[in-house]
Amino acid sequence: MTPSNENELTQAALQRLEGAADPRFAQVMRSLITHLHAFIREVDLQPGEWMAGIEFLTAVGQTCDDKRQEFILLSDTLGASMMVVMLDQLRAAVHASRAGETLRATETTEATVQGPYYWEGAPELALGADIAPGVRGEPAFYSGRVTDTRGQPLANALLDIWSGDGEGVYDMQVEGSSMAARARIRTDAEGRYWFWSIKPSYYPVPVDGPVGRMLAGIGCHPNRPGHIHMKVAADGHVALTTHLFVAGSPYIDSDVVFGVRPSLVVDFEAHPPGKAPDGRVIAQPYWSAHYDFHLQPEAA
Amino acid sequence: MTPSNENELTQAALQRLEGAADPRFAQVMRSLITHLHAFIREVDLQPGEWMAGIEFLTAVGQTCDDKRQEFILLSDTLGASMMVVMLDQLRAAVHASRAGETLRATETTEATVQGPYYWEGAPELALGADIAPGVRGEPAFYSGRVTDTRGQPLANALLDIWSGDGEGVYDMQVEGSSMAARARIRTDAEGRYWFWSIKPSYYPVPVDGPVGRMLAGIGCHPNRPGHIHMKVAADGHVALTTHLFVAGSPYIDSDVVFGVRPSLVVDFEAHPPGKAPDGRVIAQPYWSAHYDFHLQPEAA
């Protein structure tokens, strides 16, 4: 088929997918081509604009290396990553509901983006450990429980925790650095967890690449509010990737990657120096944050 | 605004464009984000599929170098480039019509993709020259006229011509090559042009990169039918970038980049050795192709 106008061109491109061996691949490509063509027509994309787009995407690819993933950053800043996260959690909730679980999606702790700074293999530390010794920032005591969506405590659940330092810099961003402010911790028999780290700061995503130029063009600041990352996993439950956000942090209402969810915003309580809830004596002012995670049972 | 569901996420991403200094940039981004989010929701894109997409786009960017533009190839094979070409010519026709020209778009020679093998600065040769001496392939005599859309001949119009050789290989694809099968030729006082080159062959686009893997996934062959490229320009007229396609070439009905338009398909007539229309005596069988180009006057 030789297309003689724009509608026929879209039809020809879709027709070509009929040879795809994998029906799911064909389905994804069908939707992609339909939206791509509709976008070009809707804005009446001009040849110079098309070329600027080609050059932008090429630069995004060429900015990626083993420490930097500019396409994930692009996806994050367009809200695409967060859309995938939301749909994934919704899908798990629907599965559970079909399996007969009387589950409301809101009962499960909400997920958010993983971001580019996860580092596999953080040290497994004892409950109550300081996971950020020597790291810049004000000390903070984190505690809470991991339960299922009915409130039953989950013993031996694994928390994989990471954050930047008190100035918003991650260990991975420092050339030749080793792991810092990262650990894996397991809950006790009552599903409780507690540990020490620092109170995380807001920070800008990298702006020296093409995504930084795009954000400047949009007129959008490049910052994320202060947050600490957690992956929470327990046998027989859907693993959760989320953050706890610092209530009142700058940019809490305008996270550049759309990661904030109201249910994940946590008050950090200020304390004078003295004896902390775990009995540790702290010589300087410190913060505390409390949060309970609720994991969804896996569908049978 | 902190989005608490998928609709609000799209709204938040669109709201962020309100700070854009350039209203056209905001318009393009608004449509892009709307379609990107709609695509993700429509196919319920799963995290593993999202990551495969990130890795694919990264590989496309990293396959580009000073001789290869894999993102243009991706755009071409998705029909996006041809959509931009079609809209551009339609826009020019609408402008002309608004300027009072009694123009039907079909009167203008149709445009097609430029492709990745244009090389600026081809030698300007005399009318009737052989632009492909020593190039593999069967000789072909090209002739015709350049006129405006009312049929008035355009003297001194410039044809910038290029093609692969008779086996479908472009000079640029050969390491360290110099220009071959390329020239610029000007029409005579009656708007006529004629020159010698070879009859071009079908060929595959590069398939050793990510776009080749995508085409394999779709189950689509990677070939373009035989064609010769022309840019045609004359003072006071809209410049045209197009091809002439060889009628009956393999893949004439399934060009991998959707470049074929029925009006650009030309019969190549076979001739025995002997005296050609320009008086040249040809010692081997040869082909001839005749085509008249019609350029649209620029809007006032």
Side-chain angles (χ1 to χ4, degrees):
Chain A
M1 173 188 168
T2 298
S4 61
N5 61 41
E6 303 85 80
N7 285 331
E8 289 183 14
L9 175 58
T10 303
Q11 287 313 307
L14 295 178
Q15 219 170 52
R16 200 158 284 181
L17 300 172
E18 286 166 13
D22 176 355
R24 173 64 178 166
F25 185 61
Q27 180 191 20
V28 171
M29 292 301 293
R30 191 173 303 121
S31 176
L32 179 78
I33 288 172
T34 303
H35 283 289
L36 176 62
H37 285 211
F39 156 67
I40 293 171
R41 294 178 69 174
E42 191 171 294
V43 303
D44 195 15
L45 195 71
Q46 306 207 4
E49 296 172 332
W50 169 82
M51 195 61 213
I54 294 285
E55 286 167 358
F56 174 78
L57 291 169
T58 304
V60 172
Q62 298 196 335
T63 302
C64 297
D65 59 28
D66 59 336
K67 292 224 168 154
R68 181 163 175 177
Q69 227 309 346
E70 192 84 352
F71 262 114
I72 291 187
L73 184 61
L74 177 60
S75 169
D76 288 357
T77 54
L78 295 176
S81 309
M82 194 60 195
M83 185 63 84
V84 171
V85 166
M86 281 184 173
L87 292 174
D88 188 47
Q89 203 165 30
L90 200 60
R91 196 182 309 117
V94 169
H95 276 209
S97 146
R98 284 196 187 134
E101 297 284 337
T102 57
L103 172 77
R104 295 195 305 276
T106 49
E107 288 173 337
T108 305
T109 299
E110 290 190 297
T112 189
V113 293
Q114 173 167 313
Y117 299 125
Y118 180 63
W119 192 338
E120 192 126 13
E124 190 160 340
L125 300 183
L127 259 178
D130 179 1
I131 73 165
V135 169
R136 289 184 300 193
E138 300 163 6
F141 178 71
Y142 295 84
S143 64
R145 295 214 305 168
V146 179
T147 77
D148 67 13
T149 43
R150 290 193 193 79
Q152 291 303 307
L154 295 170
N156 206 36
L158 184 68
L159 285 86
D160 198 341
I161 308 155
W162 72 105
S163 77
D165 65 17
E167 299 185 14
V169 178
Y170 284 79
D171 49 8
M172 287 171 89
Q173 295 179 285
V174 180
E175 191 66 31
S177 62
S178 53
M179 282 193 182
R182 296 178 189 270
R184 287 180 294 169
I185 297 244
R186 288 191 181 271
T187 56
D188 69 8
E190 281 80 50
R192 292 176 301 190
Y193 74 87
W194 66 98
F195 64 91
W196 288 87
S197 184
I198 51 82
K199 183 188 177 203
S201 168
Y202 73 91
Y203 60 85
V205 298
V207 292
D208 59 341
V211 173
R213 293 195 293 277
M214 180 192 76
L215 291 172
I218 290 174
C220 175
H221 74 75
N223 295 289
R224 302 208 61 204
H227 59 272
I228 183 168
H229 298 256
M230 315 254 186
K231 285 177 187 261
V232 189
D235 285 347
H237 293 77
V238 178
L240 172 73
T241 298
T242 196
H243 305 353
L244 303 183
F245 290 91
V246 179
S249 169
Y251 309 109
I252 194 75
D253 292 325
S254 61
D255 184 355
V256 69
V257 307
F258 306 95
V260 176
R261 309 184 81 162
S263 69
L264 302 175
V265 177
V266 179
D267 286 323
F268 278 61
E269 195 182 340
H271 302 275
K275 201 170 179 180
D278 65 341
R280 202 183 276 232
V281 176
I282 305 295
Q284 63 187 107
Y286 68 94
W287 302 87
S288 68
H290 191 87
Y291 197 80
D292 293 337
F293 297 94
H294 305 300
L295 300 190
Q296 181 179 307
E298 272 172 356
Chain B
M1 173 190 168
T2 297
S4 61
N5 61 41
E6 302 86 77
N7 286 330
E8 289 183 16
L9 175 58
T10 302
Q11 288 312 309
L14 296 177
Q15 217 171 52
R16 200 158 283 180
L17 300 172
E18 286 166 12
D22 176 354
R24 172 63 178 166
F25 185 61
Q27 180 190 22
V28 170
M29 291 300 293
R30 191 174 302 120
S31 176
L32 179 78
I33 288 171
T34 303
H35 283 289
L36 176 62
H37 285 210
F39 156 68
I40 293 171
R41 294 178 70 174
E42 192 170 294
V43 301
D44 195 17
L45 195 71
Q46 306 208 4
E49 296 171 334
W50 169 82
M51 195 62 212
I54 294 286
E55 286 167 359
F56 174 78
L57 292 169
T58 303
V60 172
Q62 299 197 335
T63 302
C64 297
D65 59 30
D66 59 338
K67 293 223 168 156
R68 181 162 175 178
Q69 227 309 345
E70 192 84 354
F71 261 115
I72 290 187
L73 184 62
L74 177 60
S75 170
D76 288 357
T77 55
L78 295 176
S81 309
M82 194 60 198
M83 185 63 85
V84 172
V85 166
M86 281 184 173
L87 292 174
D88 188 49
Q89 202 165 30
L90 199 61
R91 196 183 309 117
V94 168
H95 277 206
S97 145
R98 283 194 187 133
E101 298 285 338
T102 57
L103 172 76
R104 295 196 305 276
T106 49
E107 288 173 336
T108 305
T109 299
E110 291 189 298
T112 188
V113 294
Q114 174 167 313
Y117 299 123
Y118 180 63
W119 192 338
E120 193 127 12
E124 191 160 339
L125 300 183
L127 258 177
D130 179 0
I131 74 165
V135 169
R136 287 185 302 193
E138 299 163 6
F141 178 73
Y142 295 84
S143 65
R145 294 213 307 168
V146 179
T147 77
D148 68 13
T149 43
R150 289 193 194 79
Q152 292 302 306
L154 295 170
N156 206 36
L158 184 68
L159 285 86
D160 197 341
I161 307 155
W162 72 104
S163 77
D165 65 18
E167 299 185 14
V169 178
Y170 285 79
D171 49 9
M172 289 172 89
Q173 296 179 286
V174 180
E175 192 67 32
S177 61
S178 54
M179 282 194 184
R182 297 177 188 270
R184 286 180 295 168
I185 298 244
R186 287 191 181 272
T187 55
D188 70 8
E190 281 79 50
R192 292 175 300 191
Y193 75 88
W194 65 98
F195 64 91
W196 287 87
S197 184
I198 51 83
K199 183 188 177 204
S201 168
Y202 73 91
Y203 60 84
V205 299
V207 292
D208 59 340
V211 173
R213 292 194 293 277
M214 181 192 76
L215 291 171
I218 291 173
C220 176
H221 72 76
N223 295 289
R224 301 209 61 204
H227 60 272
I228 183 168
H229 298 256
M230 314 256 185
K231 284 178 186 261
V232 188
D235 285 348
H237 293 76
V238 178
L240 173 72
T241 298
T242 195
H243 305 353
L244 303 182
F245 290 91
V246 180
S249 169
Y251 309 109
I252 194 74
D253 292 325
S254 60
D255 184 355
V256 69
V257 308
F258 306 95
V260 176
R261 309 183 82 162
S263 70
L264 302 175
V265 177
V266 179
D267 285 323
F268 278 60
E269 196 181 338
H271 302 275
K275 202 171 179 181
D278 64 343
R280 201 183 276 231
V281 176
I282 305 296
Q284 62 186 108
Y286 68 94
W287 302 87
S288 69
H290 190 87
Y291 197 82
D292 293 339
F293 296 94
H294 306 300
L295 301 190
Q296 181 180 307
E298 274 173 354

